[in-house]
Amino acid sequence: MLSIDSVERGVVIDHIKAGKAMSIYNYLGLDKLDCAVAIIKNVKSNRMGKKDIIKIENEIETDLEMLGFIDPNITVNIIDGGKIIEKMNLTLPKRVVNIVKCKNPRCITSVEQELPHVFNLTDAERGIYRCAYCEQQAER
Amino acid sequence: MKHLLDPMDISVGEIDELLDLADNIIANPERYQEVCRHKKLATLFFEPSTRTRLSFEAAMHELGGDVIGFAGADNSSASKGESVADTVRTVECYADIIAMRHPKEGAATVASQNVDIPIINAGDGGHQHPTQTLTDLLTIRSLKGRLDHLTIGMCGDLKFGRTVHSLIRALSRYSNIKFVFISPKELKVPRYVKEDVLKNNENVTYVQYERLEEIISDLDILYMTRVQRERFFNEEDYIRLRDSYILDAEKMKLAKDDMIVMHPLPRVNEISVEVDKDPRAVYFKQALFGKYVRMALIMTMLGVNA
């Protein structure tokens, strides 16, 4: 059994859909951190069968709300003194910027590289995001 | 209303005010012929659209204003790789209002985020063309006297036609609207339009037909669009159905005496030329209403009064 130390002070991102940890690592820009970061893949889970976990041995200043866009089932635990001091419930953010790209070849973002890729939540019930320019539905 | 990017940016109340102003302009054109003196409209047409551009330019001239601009990306700095944002920031130094047509969807939105002067979206690819919708609304209200209690047939390409989708959205805010969608099954109104606009909307009902002659007698308005051969999946269907989407004098005999025939133009062959003589054919009047509604829009967005 693989063993990874528990986090004393930092963040644990749990219940990540198995196989998605690396994309979240990239979304959050965790490669830029110089603290310890553990990516644990395919952990057994009663609820999910298999899941991924990311442990970060430090506070991070990233906008964790955007994780709600990627998968609102993810849980984020803030750890201090080896204990969970805050459990963040993720909701769908109203707007996401530069998380996914618009796939519509007719969108203005396809020819103007400097433009941010902005998506707005247009249907909270169904979790649908549309491009702020061309209204193409976001693909996650 | 700071910018006009999407036909749904304007409330029903604002549409009423715009159409009232357009009515006033039609009734008293001389009162308005100097209201935009010393104002400049820039028509930035990154792709050609002679009809829309001339309509905007004629509208500004009739208000006493001036027009600058370009037609076709080859004639603009876009051909040198300039961004939309930089182009409009520069044009903002020279003009008071911009009407912009661009082949890419969302280009007018980008423009609006970079300038303080009003932007009118004069068409962004297959996305939005709000002044066409305003043109259609003014035509209907002027010729039918109302925007509610109407049975509107939409015929032809209802899948890709943005004009039709925008008009469906705009009319779905009025009461007792019955849409009759007439198209081959390959070119039906997309599901997302039905779900977004028509489902759970007590103002509107809709029915779908494959043949125009089956239902033309019920219509108050017939909105024709072009059916392009390349949209069909097989030649057999195209041959079977093509005549059903061509309006001719025979089919007009089946229609009500006060039905009106509209078309966003340009027409190719979907309305036979013989129909032009029929007083119910109003598509060229519709183009004239387009100029008046653009006059009302330019005045409103510039904040000028007669």
Side-chain angles (χ1 to χ4, degrees), chain A residues 7-8 21 30 32 38 46 51 60 62 75 85 88 105 121 129:
Chain A
V7 173
E8 182 59 28
L30 299 182
K32 295 177 189 76
N46 290 335
K51 66 176 181 179
I60 53 170
T62 321
T75 50
I85 56 159
M88 285 176 64
L121 178 64
Y129 285 80

Side-chain angles (χ1 to χ4, degrees), chain B residues 40-46 52-53 56-57 68-70 91 95 97-102 108 117-123 131 294 297-298:
Chain B
K40 283 191 286 297
L41 164 75
T43 51
L44 310 186
F45 277 59
F46 295 84
T52 305
R53 184 172 58 82
F56 270 108
E57 296 187 359
I68 56 173
F70 55 81
V91 171
I97 184 166
I98 291 174
M100 179 177 141
R101 159 80 56 117
H102 196 284
I117 63 172
I119 299 280
I120 301 172
N121 182 5
T131 57
R294 289 183 176 98
L297 183 66
I298 291 168

Side-chain angles (χ1 to χ4, degrees), chain B residues 12-31:
Chain B
V12 170
E14 286 172 322
I15 287 176
D16 280 345
E17 285 174 20
L18 266 178
L19 303 190
D20 288 347
L21 178 56
D23 283 346
N24 253 311
I25 295 170
I26 294 167
N28 309 292
E30 67 290 343
R31 266 186 70 195

Side-chain angles (χ1 to χ4, degrees), chain A residues 54-111:
Chain A
I54 298 176
K55 294 187 176 189
I56 307 158
E57 183 71 49
N58 209 338
E59 287 175 9
I60 53 170
E61 286 181 9
T62 321
D63 176 15
L64 293 168
E65 270 191 13
M66 75 171 83
L67 290 176
F69 168 76
I70 298 162
D71 182 355
N73 296 318
I74 289 171
T75 50
V76 178
N77 299 321
I78 312 293
I79 316 285
D80 199 2
K83 289 185 180 151
I84 297 173
I85 56 159
E86 189 189 343
K87 254 185 189 297
M88 285 176 64
N89 285 321
L90 297 178
T91 50
L92 294 170
K94 287 203 164 56
R95 187 180 176 87
V96 290
V97 181
N98 291 333
I99 303 295
V100 281
K101 287 191 178 247
C102 184
K103 300 257 174 75
N104 175 5
R106 298 174 305 277
C107 180
I108 184 71
T109 56
S110 70
V111 288

Side-chain angles (χ1 to χ4, degrees), chain B residues 1-5 9-10 14 92 96-98 111-121 297-298 300-303:
Chain B
M1 180 182 20
K2 170 76 182 160
H3 306 288
L4 177 60
L5 306 174
D9 287 347
I10 332 174
E14 286 172 322
E92 186 181 24
D96 301 288
I97 184 166
I98 291 174
S112 72
Q113 291 166 348
N114 285 282
V115 292
D116 287 324
I117 63 172
I119 299 280
I120 301 172
N121 182 5
L297 183 66
I298 291 168
T300 304
M301 296 187 83
L302 286 175

